[in-house]
């Protein structure tokens, strides 16, 4: 990607930090070298556009759309090895490091995989640009983003109602004499790319000096985030990303302290540039209400502009009695609600959600309006790493988040934002 694009995303995220926009940050837990087709990219984009339409309609705010896509190939693991059928094997660290098959040969680390990851990312981004700028994302296509298996569900029908209202609004504007063909925003969208900046060898290899400003940018993605396991303020990842000008996000798990959080602000955003730094909390349903407010307060008192985002996925996982990794839709929704309540109580804008989803009809997370039950988990369990929301569950979540925000009836320039 280009440095100028990273600056555009930074400006969009400054709107999020300022309470004038909402971030939808979503995609695969881990992209795959095996499942790489134009169709699967298109399906992911469809659900992202659908969710964004629902959220825009619900919140009446601009939705900044960022994919975990075109580079999300490296996975941090809690354990370096795992036991499979009695054998101790290196864990799977993402396709940019090793293969997921449970054999010693497949799990061997191979640096050539970084080059392959780069080429797949470049091809993915190329396709995303074509889809988002070439007519597919045109708002007049709003009905088309509803896939068949989604359209037949209650969420799909609810989506069709909104899509019809959007079309009516467009016809209303046209009838008022507004030339819709002239409005770029109706025909194209910006979908930005992001991944966890875990492999510093890869990130360093793609870091360039921008010819316009002379500043350094990591051109592997528009936004890079630092994971919960590598966010030490004096660690290598923070040192590296302090040196590039991309928008940066940091995941904050339950062990994050107020002092550490402010130190991350000082190191990663010493000039207090709005949009440069986002924090993605992932503390867990039932815990975020207690753990997050001290961090919100510390950052506010230090007068750092930060976009606060909720990842309701990574602290709500568990294994079923059959040993399948899953997450409950209700816990995911509960964390988003508890996060928003905590933010509102502290006078901070709940700026967005960070999700793992797929456009396919998988059965990896439990629950949702159409109840995926434990016995169904094995029907279509395809993730390489963490369980993802399927397209219906994602749309369901978008409706609920949109409704939650509408209940607050957020004014355009919310008074809470003046405190940031
Ligand atoms: C992830 O986003 O896939 C991830 C591993 O997250 P975290 O660093 O929050 O555990
Ligand atoms: Co994950």
């Amino acid at each position: 990607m280009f440095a100028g694009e990273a600056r555009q995303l930074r400006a969009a995220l400054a709107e999020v930090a300022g309470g004038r926009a909402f971030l939808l940050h979503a995609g695969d837990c881990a992209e795959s070298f095996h499942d790489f087709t134009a169709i699967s990219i298109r399906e992911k984009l469809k659900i992202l556009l659908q969710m964004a339409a629902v959220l825009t309609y619900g919140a009446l705010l601009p939705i900044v759309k960022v994919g975990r896509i075109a580079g999300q190939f490296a996975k941090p693991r809690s354990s370096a090895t795992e036991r499979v059928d009695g054998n101790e094997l290196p864990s799977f660290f993402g396709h940019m490091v090793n293969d997921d098959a449970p054999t010693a040969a497949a799990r061997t680390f191979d640096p050539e995989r970084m080059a392959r990851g780069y080429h797949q990312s470049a091809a993915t981004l190329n396709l995303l640009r074509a889809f988002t700028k070439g007519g597919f994302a045109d708002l007049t296509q709003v009905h088309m983003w509803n896939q068949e298996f989604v359209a037949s569900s209650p969420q799909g029908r609810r989506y069709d109602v909104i899509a019809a209202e959007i079309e009516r609004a467009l016809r209303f504007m046209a009838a008022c004499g507004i030339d819709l063909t002239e409005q770029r925003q109706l025909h194209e969208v910006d979908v930005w790319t992001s991944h966890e900046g875990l492999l510093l060898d890869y990130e360093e290899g793609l870091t360039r000096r921008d010819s316009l400003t002379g500043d350094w940018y990591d051109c592997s993605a528009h936004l890079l985030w630092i994971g919960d396991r590598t966010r030490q303020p004096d660690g290598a990842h923070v040192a590296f990303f302090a040196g590039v000008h991309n928008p940066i996000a940091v995941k904050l798990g339950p062990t994050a302290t107020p002092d550490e959080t402010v130190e991350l602000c000082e190191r990663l955003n010493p000039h207090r540039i709005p949009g440069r730094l986002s924090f993605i909390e992932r503390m867990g349903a039932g815990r975020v209400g207690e753990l997050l407010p001290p961090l919100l307060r510390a950052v506010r008192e230090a007068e750092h502009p930060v976009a606060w985002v909720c990842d309701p996925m990574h602290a709500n996982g568990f294994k079923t009695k059959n040993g399948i990794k899953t997450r409950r839709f209700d816990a995911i929704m509960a964390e988003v609600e508890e996060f928003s309540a905590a933010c509102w109580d502290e006078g901070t804008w709940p700026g967005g959600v960070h999700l793992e989803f797929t456009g396919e009809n998988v059965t990896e997370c439990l629950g949702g309006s159409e109840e995926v039950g434990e016995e169904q988990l094995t029907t279509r369990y395809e993730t390489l790493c963490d369980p993802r929301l399927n397209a219906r569950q994602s749309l369901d979540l978008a409706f609920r988040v949109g409704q939650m925000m509408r209940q607050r009836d957020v004014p355009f320039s919310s008074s809470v934002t003046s405190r940031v």
Side-chain angles (χ1 to χ4, degrees), residues 355-378:
L355 306 167
E356 287 180 343
F357 76 20
T358 163
E360 310 293 327
N361 195 14
V362 299
T363 55
E364 297 171 4
C365 288
L366 294 168
S369 298
E370 270 174 281
E371 282 296 332
V372 174
E374 242 179 82
E375 62 296 340
Q376 281 160 281
L377 281 182
T378 46

Side-chain angles (χ1 to χ4, degrees), residues 28-30 68 72 74-77 196 225-230 251-253 280 282 311 314 327 354 356 385-386:
D28 277 309
C29 179
R68 289 175 58 116
Q72 176 54 18
K75 300 307 300 169
R77 304 311 299 257
E196 177 171 351
W225 79 84
I226 301 173
D228 190 46
R229 295 163 188 76
T230 49
K251 295 277 203 97
L252 297 177
I280 306 172
R282 31 89 87 218
D311 164 1
H314 285 91
R327 294 158 169 160
H354 178 109
E356 287 180 343
C385 196
D386 292 334

Side-chain angles (χ1 to χ4, degrees), residues 64-97:
V64 180
K65 298 167 270 296
V66 182
R68 289 175 58 116
I69 197 163
Q72 176 54 18
F73 291 106
K75 300 307 300 169
R77 304 311 299 257
S78 303
S79 170
T81 59
E82 66 171 340
R83 272 208 164 282
V84 185
D85 300 330
N87 297 321
E88 185 92 347
L89 291 175
S91 296
F92 169 55
F93 284 89
H95 279 164
M96 213 134 78
V97 177

Side-chain angles (χ1 to χ4, degrees), residues 45-125:
L45 180 64
K46 266 189 190 167
I47 187 67
L48 193 71
L49 294 175
Q50 269 193 302
M51 289 180 82
V54 168
L55 285 168
T56 312
Y57 196 81
L60 297 176
L61 284 173
I63 307 297
V64 180
K65 298 167 270 296
V66 182
R68 289 175 58 116
I69 197 163
Q72 176 54 18
F73 291 106
K75 300 307 300 169
R77 304 311 299 257
S78 303
S79 170
T81 59
E82 66 171 340
R83 272 208 164 282
V84 185
D85 300 330
N87 297 321
E88 185 92 347
L89 291 175
S91 296
F92 169 55
F93 284 89
H95 279 164
M96 213 134 78
V97 177
N98 58 4
D99 191 62
D100 53 295
T103 66
R107 294 288 171 90
T108 305
F109 298 176
D110 176 3
E112 286 298 324
R113 287 177 164 271
M114 288 193 280
R116 181 157 171 206
Y118 166 75
H119 289 295
Q120 184 165 321
S121 301
T124 303
L125 178 55

Side-chain angles (χ1 to χ4, degrees), residues 235-272:
H237 291 76
V238 170
F240 181 82
F241 289 109
V244 297
H245 283 71
N246 304 60
I248 300 298
V250 184
K251 295 277 203 97
L252 297 177
T255 60
T257 66
D259 284 352
E260 257 171 14
T261 307
V262 172
E263 204 181 334
L264 286 166
C265 295
E266 303 282 339
R267 292 201 183 220
L268 289 166
N269 194 16
H271 303 299
R272 291 176 159 74

Side-chain angles (χ1 to χ4, degrees), residues 16-29:
V16 174
R20 298 176 296 275
F22 191 79
L23 172 68
L24 174 60
H25 191 183
D28 277 309
C29 179

